[in-house]
Amino acid sequence: MKTNIWILNHYASDMYFDHGGRHYNFAKNLRRADYAPVVFGANSKHGKAERFFETDALWEEHVAEEIDTPFVFVRARAYNGNGKQRVLNMIDFYRNVKKAAKEYAAQHGRPDVIFASSVHPLTLVAGIQLAKQFGVKCVCEVRDLWPESIVVYSNRFTKDNPLIKLLYRGEKWIYKKADALVFTMEGAYYFITEQGWEKEIPRSKVHYINNGVDLEQFDYNKEHFRVEDPDLNDPNVFKVIYTGSIRHVNNLGLLLDAAKCVKDPRVKILVWGDGDEREALERRVRDENISNVVFKGMVEKKYIPSIVSRADLNFAHNDPSPLFRFGISFNKLFDYLAAGKPILCDFPCPYNPAVTYDAGIETSDTQPQKIAKAIEDLATAAKQERQSYCTNARRAAEDYDFKRLTDKLISVIEGSSEK
């Protein structure tokens, strides 16, 4: 009989419609390896007062036919923004996924393993509790450090806050109770040792599986969904490409500052994406006569391979964060690796796949002049040096192909099941 693997991820439901994403790709490759995955996610859309399906049922099953995998949409209130209603939405999912799982098991059979994934920790708690009820193992996947992220990014909370202390205790409880832990951050065990938890959470229990790329899909999309753009088609332009959100948190104003310092007339920075900062940044481009930056707008994700594969340099930009000392897992970075083109990272990070594989360079700080110099150095680099970056990028992408990442996940699941 096939091993039934239940994947719990509050925000997995989008993947059903996008035909992609971490747990969609895990499910796809688990199915190919003769496992039987089921994905549980919320029926509410993230940050929008909308639902995927207009139903008041506790849960509703829809099969993703392309990968022959059931997606179970669990009832949770719709909400706008990032306030109290979002917290209540998390609680809804925590409560209802446990009820839905019991009903689903009664109709379709019990799981053999539960694979519960954050972002928020309540999903991990639900996974551990369900695993105990079903008498099976639970693998917990941590994709965001809560409450560490709150402490780093919030001006209201410190580590001494009573609520934060309570959340740290809850986090430790999760790590102790899980049969195995998967982190998307390569250096996550150093977080555990920083907390002083290593005696109760041994290194052997912790595994690293970063985000990745479906190379089969990437290469197909590159060939079949081509973007026609005069700048991309111009052989005389050195194309620096950024893809992603354009919001305050992304700090693309720094990119404009760096562009103003670039003297090489061949360099043009092309930005694909959208967000609430785009209009203000486009105004800056006009008002300050920044002629080497062009905002191209939003495209469907299937067009991204065509864009990044025709770059001369793909730009991985982010504000430095204390969290980066444990590693990074930006989805766009793996698209950049798959493109097989040099990558520039403008933030320091000790666990950066692009740097580890020598697929590009990182700047030592975020001064605009430093970023501009790095761009111009890569624009004038010898052909052999650039080709080396290209080769290494694609080699890295092969190691982060979801086929290989799923093999790692299977090893973790089978190892935890044998305990």
Side-chain angles (χ1 to χ4, degrees):
M1 290 182 61
K2 293 182 178 181
T3 301
N4 295 316
I5 300 175
W6 285 10
I7 301 171
L8 275 58
N9 172 6
H10 187 147
Y11 304 111
S13 305
D14 277 317
M15 301 177 194
Y16 172 86
F17 299 94
D18 295 341
H19 310 290
R22 181 176 179 86
H23 296 109
Y24 183 96
N25 284 312
F26 276 152
K28 172 182 175 179
N29 288 289
L30 285 168
R31 176 66 69 180
R32 288 178 174 179
D34 210 29
Y35 290 81
V38 181
V39 181
F40 289 78
N43 190 33
S44 54
K45 295 185 179 181
H46 182 30
K48 299 179 181 178
E50 301 174 14
R51 294 181 292 185
F52 292 103
F53 296 100
E54 289 303 322
T55 176
D56 291 323
L58 175 63
W59 59 276
E60 191 169 280
E61 180 188 54
H62 296 268
V63 176
E65 296 181 359
E66 301 84 357
I67 59 172
D68 190 25
T69 296
F71 275 65
V72 179
F73 292 78
V74 177
R75 185 174 65 215
R77 75 190 65 199
Y79 66 97
N80 272 318
N82 200 29
K84 178 181 177 181
Q85 288 300 310
R86 183 186 177 189
V87 175
L88 294 175
N89 170 269
M90 295 176 186
I91 295 171
D92 284 346
F93 182 75
Y94 162 73
R95 290 173 173 169
N96 289 339
V97 74
K98 293 191 292 182
K99 298 175 186 176
K102 292 176 187 176
E103 291 186 11
Y104 191 85
Q107 296 183 24
H108 299 279
R110 297 155 58 90
D112 296 299
V113 178
I114 290 179
F115 178 46
S117 180
S118 61
V119 181
H120 67 78
L122 284 178
T123 300
L124 307 183
V125 175
I128 291 169
Q129 292 172 339
L130 281 170
K132 183 178 181 180
Q133 291 172 12
F134 287 122
V136 300
K137 302 297 183 181
C138 180
V139 176
C140 283
E141 178 180 76
V142 181
R143 294 180 291 132
D144 198 3
L145 294 172
W146 279 41
E148 189 74 10
S149 297
I150 299 174
V151 172
V152 168
Y153 292 116
S154 170
N155 295 322
R156 296 175 54 196
F157 296 100
T158 67
K159 288 191 174 184
D160 295 326
N161 182 282
L163 175 60
I164 296 299
K165 287 183 176 181
L166 179 64
L167 289 172
Y168 277 121
R169 287 199 293 272
E171 180 183 27
K172 182 181 179 182
W173 180 88
I174 289 169
Y175 294 176
K176 287 174 61 178
K177 293 295 183 180
D179 293 287
L181 292 163
V182 171
F183 287 87
T184 56
M185 298 144 282
E186 186 174 358
Y189 196 69
Y190 291 105
F191 170 76
I192 291 172
T193 59
E194 281 185 14
Q195 302 300 314
W197 300 342
E198 63 271 20
K199 290 184 180 179
E200 297 161 286
I201 304 161
R203 182 68 183 84
S204 59
K205 190 177 185 177
V206 176
H207 307 269
Y208 163 61
I209 305 177
N210 209 322
N211 283 324
V213 60
D214 182 342
L215 282 180
E216 178 184 10
Q217 190 67 54
F218 183 96
D219 291 339
Y220 177 88
N221 287 347
K222 181 176 71 174
E223 296 300 322
H224 291 83
F225 299 102
R226 182 179 173 87
V227 171
E228 293 302 332
D229 179 87
D231 291 315
L232 283 178
N233 294 335
D234 190 342
N236 298 314
V237 171
F238 184 84
K239 298 169 276 291
V240 180
I241 288 177
Y242 169 89
T243 61
S245 297
I246 307 174
R247 297 176 293 129
H248 178 73
V249 69
N250 303 111
N251 190 21
L252 287 191
L254 177 60
L255 184 55
L256 300 192
D257 295 337
K260 293 169 69 173
C261 299
V262 172
K263 305 302 181 186
D264 190 332
R266 298 175 302 142
V267 171
K268 189 171 284 188
I269 299 172
L270 311 176
V271 180
W272 267 272
D274 204 357
D276 54 17
E277 285 278 296
R278 179 182 165 191
E279 184 178 343
L281 293 171
E282 287 183 315
R283 189 181 309 115
R284 267 197 66 187
V285 167
R286 293 191 300 270
D287 293 347
E288 299 173 32
N289 194 28
I290 308 174
S291 60
N292 57 355
V293 176
V294 183
F295 286 85
K296 298 290 186 176
M298 176 73 81
V299 294
E300 292 181 60
K301 185 169 175 56
K302 65 184 180 182
Y303 292 102
I304 294 297
S306 167
I307 294 168
V308 297
S309 297
R310 291 147 70 191
D312 295 299
L313 175 64
N314 283 310
F315 188 41
H317 163 72
N318 219 301
D319 273 347
S321 167
L323 291 175
F324 291 173
R325 70 188 187 276
F326 305 121
I328 54 173
S329 53
F330 310 136
N331 285 315
K332 73 177 70 176
L333 181 62
F334 300 97
D335 286 334
Y336 290 172
L337 292 171
K341 295 299 175 72
I343 300 168
L344 170 61
C345 302
D346 68 347
F347 52 87
C349 173
Y351 302 101
N352 184 337
V355 176
T356 300
Y357 282 81
D358 196 23
I361 64 173
E362 65 179 8
T363 57
S364 57
D365 58 48
T366 57
Q367 295 298 313
Q369 297 85 352
K370 295 280 189 179
I371 297 171
K373 184 179 186 304
I375 291 172
E376 293 186 313
D377 286 348
L378 286 164
T380 57
K383 183 178 180 180
Q384 184 177 0
E385 181 183 357
R386 288 185 50 75
Q387 185 55 50
S388 176
Y389 288 139
C390 296
T391 301
N392 292 340
R394 186 66 183 194
R395 184 178 298 122
E398 291 169 359
D399 284 347
Y400 287 98
D401 187 348
F402 269 105
K403 290 179 182 178
R404 293 194 181 182
L405 298 184
T406 305
D407 288 341
K408 290 184 177 182
L409 178 61
I410 290 171
S411 295
V412 174
I413 288 171
E414 295 293 352
S416 68
S417 298
E418 291 168 2
K419 289 185 177 181

